[in-house]
Amino acid sequence: MTKRFAATAAFVLLSSTVTVSATDIGATFTSACPFGDCAAGISLSYLGEFVIPSGQMEHGVEFGGISGLDFDAATGHYIAISDDRSDKAPARFYELDIDVDASGLKGVSVVKHVTLKDKNGEPFAAKTVDPESIRLGKDGIYWGSEGDAKVLLPPFIRVTAPDGSFVREFPLPEGFAPTADKLTGIRDNLAFEDLAVAPSGDVFVGVEAALYQDGPKPSLTTGSLSRIIRFDGKTGEPKAQYVYPVSPIPQAAATAAAGNDNGMSEMLALDDHRLLAVERSYAEGFGNNIKIMMMDLAGASDISATPSLAKNDQRVVPARKSQLLDLRAIGLVPDNIEAMSLGKAKDGTDVLILGSDNNFSTSQKTQFYAFKVLSRPQQ
C-alpha cells in the first residue's frame, strides 16, 4: 500500500510505502542481562516501519543517503545527515519530523535541509567529503566524514553551527590517515561510520572495520578488530582508544564470485561506558543482515599507545558486547541501516529510531524503524 501526502507550509511530507512484516506492532524484545550484567538490561517494543522510496525530491534535491540520526529535544525533531558527497547537491543534513507515538510509527517529514560548509565557509566541492554520522553536542552539531582512502583523503570529525558553518575540528590520532602503501590507516569505505556523544560530553568515534595495521577486515570465518576513539568533547583531544570486535560475516553471498561484508555502521551512547552498536552486513543475492549490539567499555584496554594490534604482544581486553536484536530474526527485512537515535515520541514515549542509507539506488529505500523503549540500563 502506498500513501501520498500533500506538502504543507514549512513541511515537505514524503510518500510512504508500507510493507507487511511478520513483526506485529507491540511485539516485545528483552535482553535482561547482557554479558551477564542484569543492570544493563534493555527491553524494546516494536512500533513499526516507514519507507520513503528512492527518487523522492525535496525542494529540488533528491532525498536519501541517510547515514546518521539524532534527536533534538529543543525542537522535538531529528537531525539526519546525508552521505551525498556533494554529487547530487552540496553536502547537507536534514531536520526531520518523525511522527511516532505509543500506537505506532505514522510518518516522516522534512522540515528543512542545511548545507554543510567547509573551513572557508563554502559548500563542499564534489567528492571532497563523505558525511556519515551526526550527533548533537554541547557546543554544536558534531558530524563525521569517512574520508576516501582511494585518493588519500583523511576522515574527520567536525563541529558545525546550526546553520552549517564550521566551528572546529577534532585532531586525527596517529595511524588513522590513509596511506598509499596500505600498511597503515583506514580502509576505503570502512572508516568513520560511527559517532556517539556520552552524557559527560565525551565523544566516541568508531571505524567500521580494522585499520590496515590492526588486521584483516571481516570474512565468513573471522571477525575484525575495529578501533573506537574516545575524545574529550570540550577540548577535542583524544583520551583513549578501545577495541570493538566486529563479528564474522553472517551470510554467504549467492555465488562464490559475489560480494559480502560486515561492519559497525553506527554507535549510540546509553551512558558514559555502555553503547549500542549496529553491525550491518550485506551479501549479494541475500540482502542486509542487521544486528543491534550492546557494548560496555568499562574494563576495556586503552590501546592509544598500541600502533598495531596485529603485531602486538601485550594483553588487550576488548569491549564486551552482547547481541540485543537481530532484525531478520524478528521477522523484519531491513535495508542498509546506518542511523540510530534515542528520542521522544509525540506523546512523550521514549523511542529508539533506526534509519537506512538507500545509496540513492532505485533498488533500495530509505527505511525507518521505531521501537518503544520499555526499560534501559541502570547507572
Side-chain angles (χ1 to χ4, degrees), residues 192-210:
F192 282 7
E193 284 278 346
D194 320 303
L195 180 61
V197 178
S200 66
D202 281 359
V203 177
F204 299 98
V205 179
V207 292
E208 191 171 348

Side-chain angles (χ1 to χ4, degrees), residues 160-181:
T160 185
D163 65 358
S165 58
F166 173 82
V167 174
R168 62 189 174 109
E169 181 172 339
F170 289 14
L172 184 66
E174 187 175 352
F176 284 82
T179 55
D181 59 15

Side-chain angles (χ1 to χ4, degrees), residues 8-28:
T8 62
F11 295 79
V12 178
L13 292 175
L14 301 176
S15 61
S16 167
T17 302
V18 180
T19 56
V20 177
S21 169
T23 300
D24 295 328
I25 304 298
T28 300

Side-chain angles (χ1 to χ4, degrees), residues 261-289:
D261 61 18
N262 191 36
M264 181 169 58
S265 65
E266 187 57 294
M267 298 187 304
L268 174 65
L270 298 173
D271 53 37
D272 288 333
H273 61 95
R274 298 187 188 105
L275 298 91
L276 299 184
V278 175
E279 290 201 18
R280 181 272 321 274
S281 69
Y282 175 77
E284 288 186 56
F286 175 79
N288 291 102
N289 192 309

Side-chain angles (χ1 to χ4, degrees), residues 275-341:
L275 298 91
L276 299 184
V278 175
E279 290 201 18
R280 181 272 321 274
S281 69
Y282 175 77
E284 288 186 56
F286 175 79
N288 291 102
N289 192 309
I290 305 296
K291 296 180 179 180
I292 309 299
M293 305 288 187
M294 182 186 290
M295 75 172 92
D296 192 344
L297 300 175
S301 301
D302 179 1
I303 57 165
S304 300
T306 305
S308 168
L309 293 172
K311 298 178 180 179
N312 175 55
D313 58 2
Q314 302 297 311
R315 180 174 180 265
V316 171
V317 178
R320 295 185 296 167
K321 77 171 188 177
S322 180
Q323 181 176 307
L324 300 182
L325 206 57
D326 180 332
L327 296 193
R328 280 191 174 266
I330 65 172
L332 303 178
V333 183
D335 208 291
N336 182 35
I337 300 294
E338 292 193 1
M340 176 168 56
S341 176

